[in-house]
Amino acid sequence: MIAFALAVACGSSFLLADTLRAAGYAAATAGSVVSVGTVSTLIGSLFAGRLAERTGILPLVAVSASIMAAAMACFAMIATGGLPLAYAGGLLLGLGWSIFYMLAPIQLIHCLKSSARLEALTLLAGAQMLGIGVSTPLGHAIADHFGGPGNAYAFYAVFCTLAAAFSLLIRRRMTDQPQLPMRAVALSVAATLSILRAKTVVPVIMMGIAACTFAGLSTFQSFYAGSRGLTPDIFFLTFTVTTVALRFSVASMIGKLPLGHLALTLFVATFLGIGLLVINTGNTILYVSATVLFATGYGLTYSTLNAMVVNLAGERGLSIPVASQVFTLGYFVGSFGFPYFAGSLIADDGIDAALLVMVGLVAANIAIAGWMLLKATTDTGPVSHKS
């Protein structure tokens, strides 16, 4: 419930283009608003683990939910408060989401054995993607029936407040569950460098690249759909149904698959999906097909690469919580940083130029994954680690 509610708020950033346009501002400004959250995301990422060692994870989850409620309130008042509130909301959104996103996987890692981690991480990712995916269509429905996009953000502020209360409610129950000691969680410079200098850096890089494609397609989907005479809600609904169905249906099986080969397959599916979006001139069936392919590829990428980096860290005696946080940080850099670049590119050269850049990014991931598999033939241990 907590993951879903906060993911709904995070996904509301995809409503910003419409909200800014309704308030009389350039829709492309949404990219700058989202990317400004990169600063607060980095701050939250650096201190979340250190604070968790002192307070525990669930109290910080409640704090992150409260911060995201404040972000939603800022977005709700853009029409009256102007762009300063929009940028304030972007900063708060990045801070709140980074704290939750960094710590939620660690809570699972500390409570579960390695054999169960990939399944649990996949289910967590499924709940998050469900929230992110329904956020835009739900926001449009609220805006249409309750007086505009500002009111959608007001609803989402309430969701976040309820999530904060629920986090505190279940804190006592979670303390009764057996789990690993909350140590070696702080994201220090030395611990971070140990992850970036080892083989664990490869899935971190691949996740950062993959996050660029999802952030770019989601933030500017209204631009793409408008350029083809299509409805953006088709993308979000199709993506959500496909991704959530995959994550919940294969969660129990995915841990048995070789992660290196799985990652390469997922990148190829992502490449084909974006490629179909590039060549589509306005066909709804092709739009749905492209979205299904993209969702199939990207939908399982996060949990697959997350399990890969955690397992690699464990095999090399590195801090597993730090590896998970560095991995998440790579995701944040791509997710929050790319919209600014894509927004500038769209303003100058149009949506198709941004799509071609995304195609190139996925091709880079395919090359990296292929290199990892090729290198595995000469290494002492396989790259396709199983959880």
Side-chain angles (χ1 to χ4, degrees):
M1 178 269 184
I2 298 171
F4 172 77
L6 297 189
V8 167
C10 179
S12 71
S13 61
F14 307 143
L15 291 167
L16 274 175
D18 294 335
T19 304
L20 289 166
R21 186 185 295 113
Y25 301 102
T29 307
S32 299
V33 173
V34 172
S35 290
V36 77
T38 304
V39 177
S40 56
T41 296
L42 293 174
I43 294 174
S45 300
L46 293 174
F47 291 99
R50 192 173 302 277
L51 291 174
E53 288 183 338
R54 299 180 180 181
T55 67
I57 289 178
L58 286 174
L60 283 180
V61 169
V63 171
S64 70
S66 300
I67 293 173
M68 293 183 74
M72 297 300 99
C74 287
F75 291 151
M77 296 184 290
I78 287 177
T80 56
L83 286 180
L85 276 180
Y87 284 106
L91 287 169
L92 290 171
L93 181 63
L95 179 61
W97 183 243
S98 68
I99 294 173
F100 170 76
Y101 212 81
M102 293 289 278
L103 297 180
I106 297 175
Q107 181 70 55
L108 294 178
I109 291 168
H110 273 258
C111 294
L112 299 172
K113 296 180 179 179
S114 59
S115 59
R117 286 171 184 162
L118 181 53
E119 178 179 354
L121 290 170
T122 301
L123 293 174
L124 173 65
Q128 291 170 339
M129 187 53 65
L130 178 61
I132 290 174
V134 303
S135 180
T136 300
L138 178 61
H140 287 157
I142 294 174
D144 292 341
H145 293 89
F146 295 97
N151 287 336
Y153 283 115
F155 273 91
Y156 292 169
V158 174
F159 293 168
C160 293
T161 302
L162 292 175
F166 190 69
S167 300
L168 297 176
L169 183 64
I170 66 173
R171 180 187 180 189
R172 178 173 298 179
R173 180 175 299 180
M174 287 298 297
T175 57
D176 297 332
Q177 301 297 318
Q179 53 187 298
L180 297 173
M182 191 62 64
R183 62 173 182 265
V185 179
L187 196 63
S188 65
V189 174
T192 300
L193 289 177
S194 69
I195 300 299
L196 296 179
R197 289 171 178 168
K199 197 173 185 178
T200 44
V201 72
V202 179
V204 173
I205 292 173
M206 290 192 292
M207 190 63 245
I209 293 174
C212 291
T213 62
F214 176 66
L217 285 181
S218 300
T219 303
F220 300 104
Q221 191 58 218
S222 60
F223 278 87
Y224 173 81
S227 70
R228 266 67 171 178
L230 299 166
T231 303
D233 284 350
I234 293 176
F235 172 86
F236 290 107
L237 289 173
T238 303
F239 182 88
T240 302
V241 170
T242 303
T243 303
V244 173
L246 277 173
R247 287 180 175 177
F248 285 115
S249 63
V250 306
S252 61
M253 300 179 291
I254 194 172
K256 302 178 178 67
L257 300 174
L259 298 183
H261 289 86
L262 178 59
L264 178 59
T265 302
L266 295 176
F267 292 146
V268 170
T270 304
F271 180 87
L272 294 175
I274 300 179
L276 287 181
L277 290 176
V278 172
I279 66 174
N280 187 18
T281 57
N283 185 288
T284 301
I285 295 177
L286 191 58
Y287 190 29
V288 172
S289 300
T291 304
V292 168
L293 272 173
F294 176 74
T296 300
Y298 181 81
L300 298 175
T301 293
Y302 188 93
S303 54
T304 298
L305 295 180
N306 196 4
M308 185 184 294
V309 73
V310 165
N311 291 346
L312 285 170
E315 292 169 4
R316 285 156 177 76
L318 302 173
S319 170
I320 291 177
V322 171
S324 179
Q325 291 177 83
V326 172
F327 174 82
T328 305
L329 192 57
Y331 165 81
F332 282 147
V333 171
S335 183
F336 285 93
F338 186 74
Y340 176 79
F341 171 78
S344 301
L345 188 61
I346 290 171
D348 294 335
D349 302 304
I351 185 65
D352 288 292
L355 287 174
L356 290 175
V357 169
M358 287 182 246
V359 168
L361 290 173
V362 182
N365 260 351
I366 292 174
I368 295 172
W371 170 79
M372 287 185 70
L373 290 174
L374 183 63
K375 192 174 184 296
T377 60
T378 58
D379 287 345
T380 55
V383 69
S384 50
H385 304 277
K386 296 180 181 181
S387 62

